[in-house]
Amino acid sequence: MPSCLGLLFKKLFRTFRDGWKQFLALWAIGTLAITLFIGLISNAVSIKSRVEAVYEDGNLADIYVSLTSYDEEDETRMGEIAGESGEYLMEPRCEYSTLLAGYSSYCVVLPTVDENVHRLSKPISINYFSQVSDGEFFLIDEDLYKNNTDWFTSGAGVTFYTSSFADIIYEHFKAELSFESEEQMLLYLDNLVKSGGSNILRETRLSLDFAVSGTFIHPENITSSDYNASTFYIGKRLFRRKIREVLADNFLNYEQIYSYLGLGEEYDESSYLPSAFPNANQYLIGLSDDSKIEAVESEIRDYFQSKENDNLLAITDADSNPWSASANSDVTQSVQLCFVLPLVFFLVAVMVVTTTTSEIIVKERAQIGIMRSIPIPKAKIYRHYIAMTEVPVVASCLCGCALGPIIIPAIMGIKYDMLYLLPQRQFFLFPWLFALLSVAAFMLIAGFIAFIVARKEVSSSPVELMRPKAMKFKKRSRFRFERASSFSLSIMMALRNIRANWGKSLMVVCGVLGCTALCACSFGLDDTLKHGVEVELSTVYTADINLTYGAVGSYKEYIESIDGVAGAEEYSSYSSTASSLDEDGDLGESVNTTLRLYDEWVEHLKIEIPFDGIIISHKLSETLGVGVGDYLRFSYEGDNYELEIKGVEYLFVTSGIFASFSCLGVSEIEYTDCYVDAEEGADIVELSSRLFNLSFVQKAQSQSDIVETIDTVVSGVSMMTTAIKVFAVLLAVVVLYNLSLMNYRDRLREIATLKVLGFRSFEVGLSLVFETMFLTLIGTAFGLALGFPFMYLVLYVNKIALIDFLYCINPFSYVASFLISFVVGLAVCILLSFYSDRVDMVASLKSVE
């Protein structure tokens, strides 16, 4: 006689053999959920470790304090404040917003790149093209150099905004010559101008040419140069020498000016001091305790506000600097995304486990009664059904844990490799802790469900278990069989089954709801991206071609003389530091952004620029917490402006400040960009190529090129959209197939009875189709209603620092989502209806219902 354990093992094997389709569905949904969750966790760990590796290798500073003028006392006081938080590093440096070969860039002037001196935000690696001496180097971003090699092989033009130099020079001159104002100094220099020269400090920009001495990989250039202004280095000795050459070319008695500025030929140790020309205007602070960052920032801000001459321009950190904000945002979103989509799949998986386990255990009531009467202990029966549930769950967990870290990071890694310059991604990065926790949670929930369902049946007496379980209806049906057609009979049978098994019916509705919501969400993601591109092309990039100049100036007349060009309109864009202002006029949040300046009447920009204020993008409004009526402080050519925000514009990719030249009082206008309209019938691609070959053009983009660039930025969301669509359809197939299969198995006796009475296979399957499709319609309706909120949630936790989502779901997407759920449900039902021909009528009629 077989042992109790052997008997239960044989029964378990027979259960798996007979119900392998249901267990396969349970395995499939579990595999989908675990693959998605473990894959997204692995992706989050991967991107976080890669970003942190760059920051650690470059020892990225925690706080950046930017000043309008140099004050020796500032360094002392900031050192005291930072020291109160524990161990710290602080380094002064001189930083300017510049144009490098037409690109908005940040120029950092340093005396040396010696690792013993330069320790914060330092290059990870440097590739020198030739041997350089201390202080004589010009290093640019490696990615920027690779993308523009032709521009840099013959040297690089750097355009500075001379008003910032005028401020610095005035500070030196007034100490020597007692100037009462900067204008007095400029008048003094006017009298020293050589014949054929000019007072360069009265010009808006100063251009200097440098030979590239090498490239570097820098933590501040973690974002690709195509999407972010890059940082480059100029040696302080080289910079001072270039300034001496410019002064000698334009001024008489330039040796006297040298002495006033401390620009002697000798490069002594005093030149290393922050007070030496060019003065330090930015301090980098690194703290050993990251939790003290906000407190230190607050104390530094309070210190400057208490000064009689508040020279604070901005305080930024890893969350507000564009080079780190974008990457940090993606790191945060990669973690948040782990608990949105996988949660839906996990809930559906739990639902499938519940319905499958319940259906199998209820079908085996009589067998449980026999096992109780043998008798087999209750504990062993519980363990039997828990094992029955755990086997497919464990199998799905193993498959999900193996597939997730390979599939999902590879998909998401395409986006990160496009946007960021990061170390190579590991092929298989397994998140052991989260994997163990998720597997344990899934197994515990599945085991608990099996125990609860089994306990309900096992707690009954053997006699009760071996009796058939009668259906209970609150109200007697008035339907008369003999008066009904087969069609009406099928409908009434479907409604009866729904009422009799309302718990399982609810599960079908919930499953379809989840599938439809996922479909609507994925289509909505596509619609949101397409709508965003349409807004960009109809608001900011309305011209056929958009040019970026490599050398600032005005080239409109020349461009309009080119064959194929119908018209041109120029504008300018610059890197700027923007800060919010509170009611007392004190600085709040600060961020590096883009300032776009236009002539008073501009046709191609479909934003109405006010004459007495500015328009900002919604993205910048959210970042700084400002809106219409608030004032914004921002920098332009070394000067600071405080203007009222007159409007907030919702844009997809373009972010920053929109203003007119006249509003800022700019008299000498030099442009950096140009809108170009092509003549009717002109070949846009060919014209764009010809414009790009012009000596002063850095970049020429047609509307299709702009769309391609935007697609690159949102590639991660696009891939996520495709993944959601695939997973949603798979989820629909698995859920509907599993629930329809259970419904079919429950109706075996009913199907056999109808066939004995002479019903055809089509008529028999009709009731199964009606029942499932009625529930599918209800679930689809609720799923469509939840599509937009779910899409909003997915995008909200997956925000990209470079874009601002304009949420939208088109009516056609709702129709497509409905059709997917409906067609999948109908296909599954029709497939299963053909199984009625395979029903063993004798065995089915003998069975208990």
Side-chain angles (χ1 to χ4, degrees):
M1 183 177 180
S3 64
C4 176
L5 182 62
L7 184 66
L8 291 176
F9 180 79
K10 288 181 179 179
K11 182 181 179 305
L12 182 65
F13 177 79
R14 188 168 60 248
T15 301
F16 285 138
R17 182 195 62 193
D18 296 340
W20 67 270
K21 294 177 183 177
Q22 284 180 292
F23 288 109
L24 181 64
L26 197 156
W27 167 83
I29 188 64
T31 300
L32 286 175
I34 297 298
T35 296
L36 199 57
F37 180 67
I38 298 301
L40 288 173
I41 289 289
S42 177
N43 174 70
V45 173
S46 174
I47 182 64
K48 183 179 181 181
S49 63
R50 294 169 73 190
V51 169
E52 288 180 346
V54 174
Y55 290 163
E56 185 177 351
D57 290 345
N59 197 20
L60 190 71
D62 297 309
I63 302 173
Y64 291 72
V65 183
S66 300
L67 308 176
T68 58
S69 60
Y70 174 77
D71 187 340
E72 189 175 350
E73 183 184 352
D74 296 339
E75 182 172 354
T76 303
R77 185 68 189 111
M78 285 191 291
E80 293 172 353
I81 293 172
E84 294 172 0
S85 67
E87 294 184 9
Y88 76 98
L89 286 175
M90 186 167 70
E91 288 183 14
R93 73 182 193 183
C94 181
E95 182 186 87
Y96 299 116
S97 292
T98 63
L99 293 174
L100 174 61
Y103 285 97
S104 291
S105 305
Y106 300 103
C107 171
V108 174
V109 181
L110 289 174
T112 180
V113 288
D114 187 338
E115 292 186 357
N116 296 319
V117 179
H118 181 35
R119 295 178 290 174
L120 283 175
S121 294
K122 61 182 180 179
I124 297 171
S125 64
I126 301 177
N127 176 31
Y128 289 107
F129 298 158
S130 59
Q131 189 174 1
V132 298
S133 57
D134 194 25
E136 291 272 351
F137 52 82
F138 181 77
L139 304 173
I140 65 173
D141 178 46
E142 183 178 286
D143 182 62
L144 181 65
Y145 182 81
K146 286 180 179 178
N147 294 336
N148 302 275
T149 305
D150 292 340
W151 272 88
F152 293 123
T153 49
S154 58
V158 181
T159 302
F160 297 87
Y161 307 120
T162 53
S163 57
S164 58
F165 288 138
D167 293 339
I168 296 169
I169 291 173
Y170 172 64
E171 292 297 323
H172 284 269
F173 268 28
K174 73 176 181 180
E176 296 289 337
L177 302 177
S178 302
F179 290 120
E180 294 181 1
S181 67
E182 190 172 305
E183 181 60 26
Q184 279 190 357
M185 177 197 72
L186 294 174
L187 289 171
Y188 169 78
L189 291 176
D190 284 340
N191 297 323
L192 297 179
V193 174
K194 279 183 177 181
S195 176
S198 65
N199 185 351
I200 60 172
L201 298 184
R202 285 197 180 276
E203 297 175 1
T204 57
R205 294 177 179 86
L206 171 65
S207 295
L208 301 176
D209 291 324
F210 297 88
V212 179
S213 53
T215 62
F216 59 31
I217 298 175
H218 198 282
E220 291 179 11
N221 295 338
I222 189 172
T223 305
S224 173
S225 61
D226 288 335
Y227 309 108
N228 188 65
S230 60
T231 295
F232 65 93
Y233 281 179
I234 296 180
K236 197 167 185 178
R237 177 182 293 177
L238 175 61
F239 181 81
R240 288 159 61 92
R241 178 164 58 82
K242 286 289 184 178
I243 295 296
R244 284 202 308 270
E245 291 174 0
V246 172
L247 292 174
D249 290 340
N250 290 277
F251 292 104
L252 300 168
N253 301 328
Y254 52 85
E255 294 89 351
Q256 185 182 14
I257 301 176
Y258 289 172
S259 64
Y260 292 154
L261 298 178
L263 282 172
E265 293 291 341
E266 293 298 327
Y267 191 69
D268 55 27
E269 292 298 324
S270 64
S271 301
Y272 280 80
L273 297 177
S275 58
F277 181 85
N279 309 107
N281 61 4
Q282 188 177 70
Y283 285 86
L284 278 55
I285 302 175
L287 304 176
S288 58
D289 186 356
D290 292 344
S291 64
K292 302 288 186 180
I293 293 176
E294 287 188 12
V296 171
E297 285 182 350
S298 179
E299 285 194 50
I300 292 175
R301 190 175 285 109
D302 291 342
Y303 156 69
F304 281 102
Q305 290 174 359
S306 66
K307 289 180 64 177
E308 183 177 350
N309 178 26
D310 184 358
N311 58 328
L312 177 65
L313 175 61
I315 296 181
T316 55
D317 54 26
D319 294 327
S320 53
N321 281 325
W323 54 79
S324 53
S326 177
N328 291 345
S329 175
D330 270 332
V331 170
T332 302
Q333 292 151 18
S334 68
V335 175
Q336 292 172 332
L337 191 60
C338 300
F339 304 97
V340 180
L341 295 177
L343 180 62
V344 175
F345 282 84
F346 186 74
L347 291 176
V348 174
V350 170
M351 180 202 71
V352 171
V353 170
T354 303
T355 52
T356 303
T357 304
S358 301
E359 191 266 345
I360 292 175
I361 293 177
V362 169
K363 290 289 283 184
E364 294 186 355
R365 278 173 52 86
Q367 297 181 38
I368 294 174
I370 294 172
M371 286 189 287
R372 287 288 313 281
S373 63
I374 291 180
I376 294 178
K378 290 183 180 181
K380 290 189 177 181
I381 298 176
Y382 293 149
R383 286 199 293 269
H384 167 73
Y385 285 109
I386 290 174
M388 179 194 72
T389 306
E390 295 289 13
V391 168
V393 168
V394 171
S396 66
C397 288
L398 292 175
C399 291
C401 288
L403 296 175
I406 297 175
I407 298 174
I408 305 298
I411 295 174
M412 299 300 291
I414 298 174
K415 164 193 171 182
Y416 301 137
D417 292 341
M418 289 178 177
L419 293 180
Y420 308 114
L421 306 173
L422 300 170
Q424 188 174 359
R425 177 180 60 86
Q426 295 184 31
F427 173 72
F428 189 86
L429 185 60
F430 192 70
W432 288 99
L433 178 60
F434 284 98
L436 292 174
L437 290 175
S438 59
V439 170
F442 197 10
M443 291 180 63
L444 285 173
I445 292 173
F448 180 73
I449 291 171
F451 172 75
I452 293 298
V453 176
R455 185 175 181 275
K456 181 181 178 182
E457 302 297 335
V458 174
S459 59
S460 303
S461 65
V463 175
E464 291 175 332
L465 290 169
M466 284 187 275
R467 285 201 201 107
K469 193 172 183 179
M471 294 182 180
K472 296 181 181 180
F473 296 100
K474 293 183 178 179
K475 187 177 181 181
R476 186 179 181 83
S477 174
R478 295 181 181 178
F479 177 79
R480 295 184 179 278
F481 173 80
E482 63 274 10
R483 297 180 184 176
S485 66
S486 59
F487 185 83
S488 301
L489 178 62
S490 298
I491 294 178
M492 296 308 297
M493 289 174 62
L495 295 176
R496 183 208 65 173
N497 293 335
I498 292 173
R499 291 172 58 200
N501 301 281
W502 64 268
K504 187 176 68 177
S505 300
L506 180 63
M507 292 296 180
V508 175
V509 171
C510 291
V512 176
L513 182 155
C515 301
T516 308
L518 278 173
C519 287
C521 169
S522 62
F523 282 111
L525 294 175
D526 266 342
D527 293 339
T528 296
L529 299 182
K530 290 176 183 176
H531 177 59
V533 173
E534 290 171 0
V535 168
E536 284 292 311
L537 297 183
S538 62
T539 307
V540 182
Y541 299 105
T542 58
D544 295 317
I545 302 171
N546 193 83
L547 301 181
T548 299
Y549 295 157
V552 294
S554 181
Y555 308 95
K556 178 180 177 180
E557 292 184 4
Y558 182 81
I559 293 172
E560 289 180 332
S561 67
I562 296 174
D563 291 339
V565 174
E569 195 171 40
E570 296 175 310
Y571 67 99
S572 295
S573 61
Y574 309 94
S575 295
S576 177
T577 300
S579 304
S580 60
L581 298 173
D582 60 21
E583 295 178 355
D584 298 325
D586 295 328
L587 285 181
E589 294 293 327
S590 300
V591 67
N592 291 311
T593 187
T594 301
L595 170 66
R596 290 175 172 81
L597 296 176
Y598 299 84
D599 294 325
E600 292 184 4
W601 305 106
V602 56
E603 295 181 3
H604 290 89
L605 181 71
K606 302 307 179 183
I607 299 174
E608 188 174 347
I609 305 296
F611 298 115
D612 57 347
I614 58 175
I615 301 292
I616 65 171
S617 65
H618 177 256
K619 189 75 172 179
L620 183 61
S621 171
E622 272 192 330
T623 304
L624 296 179
V626 294
V628 176
D630 293 329
Y631 279 79
L632 194 72
R633 176 187 288 183
F634 59 93
S635 60
Y636 168 63
E637 293 193 341
D639 293 328
N640 292 321
Y641 296 81
E642 293 181 9
L643 293 176
E644 184 180 356
I645 300 171
K646 297 291 185 177
V648 175
E649 193 73 22
Y650 284 80
L651 298 169
F652 187 46
V653 174
T654 305
S655 179
I657 305 167
F658 298 84
S660 64
F661 288 106
S662 60
C663 182
L664 270 60
V666 179
S667 55
E668 297 183 17
I669 301 175
E670 291 183 316
Y671 300 98
T672 64
D673 298 82
C674 182
Y675 293 117
V676 177
D677 289 324
E679 292 180 347
E680 187 175 352
D683 187 334
I684 303 296
V685 175
E686 188 271 337
L687 178 59
S688 177
S689 177
R690 281 194 286 126
L691 291 172
F692 175 70
N693 291 327
L694 296 176
S695 60
F696 56 86
V697 173
Q698 172 68 37
K699 185 186 295 184
Q701 288 184 300
S702 63
Q703 286 199 338
S704 59
D705 294 329
I706 292 171
V707 172
E708 186 178 342
T709 301
I710 295 175
D711 288 342
T712 302
V713 176
V714 299
S715 58
V717 180
S718 300
M719 287 181 288
M720 182 178 66
T721 299
T722 305
I724 292 176
K725 286 179 183 177
V726 173
F727 276 79
V729 173
L730 291 176
L731 183 68
V733 171
V734 172
V735 169
L736 288 171
Y737 181 80
N738 182 67
L739 295 174
S740 299
L741 183 62
M742 286 194 300
N743 190 37
Y744 166 77
R745 289 167 63 88
D746 280 345
R747 303 288 173 265
L748 288 178
R749 181 182 175 87
E750 187 177 279
I751 292 170
T753 303
L754 291 174
K755 293 191 69 174
V756 169
L757 293 175
F759 283 81
R760 291 172 299 173
S761 298
F762 171 77
E763 296 170 327
V764 172
L766 209 55
S767 66
L768 298 175
V769 173
F770 281 146
E771 179 181 349
T772 302
M773 294 316 298
F774 182 73
L775 297 175
T776 299
L777 287 174
I778 297 175
T780 301
F782 283 106
L784 292 176
L786 291 176
F788 188 89
F790 188 53
M791 178 202 70
Y792 182 90
L793 178 62
V794 169
L795 289 178
Y796 181 79
V797 300
N798 195 44
K799 285 183 178 178
I800 299 176
L802 299 173
I803 63 177
D804 190 12
F805 293 114
L806 308 178
Y807 305 102
C808 169
I809 298 183
N810 293 330
F812 177 77
S813 297
Y814 285 112
V815 175
S817 302
F818 168 79
L819 289 176
I820 287 176
S821 296
F822 187 84
V823 169
V824 168
L826 185 62
V828 169
C829 290
I830 292 175
L831 175 66
L832 289 176
S833 66
F834 289 116
Y835 284 9
S836 60
D837 292 334
R838 305 178 188 177
V839 173
D840 186 341
M841 292 194 294
V842 176
S844 298
L845 290 171
K846 285 181 180 179
S847 64
V848 230
E849 188 181 52

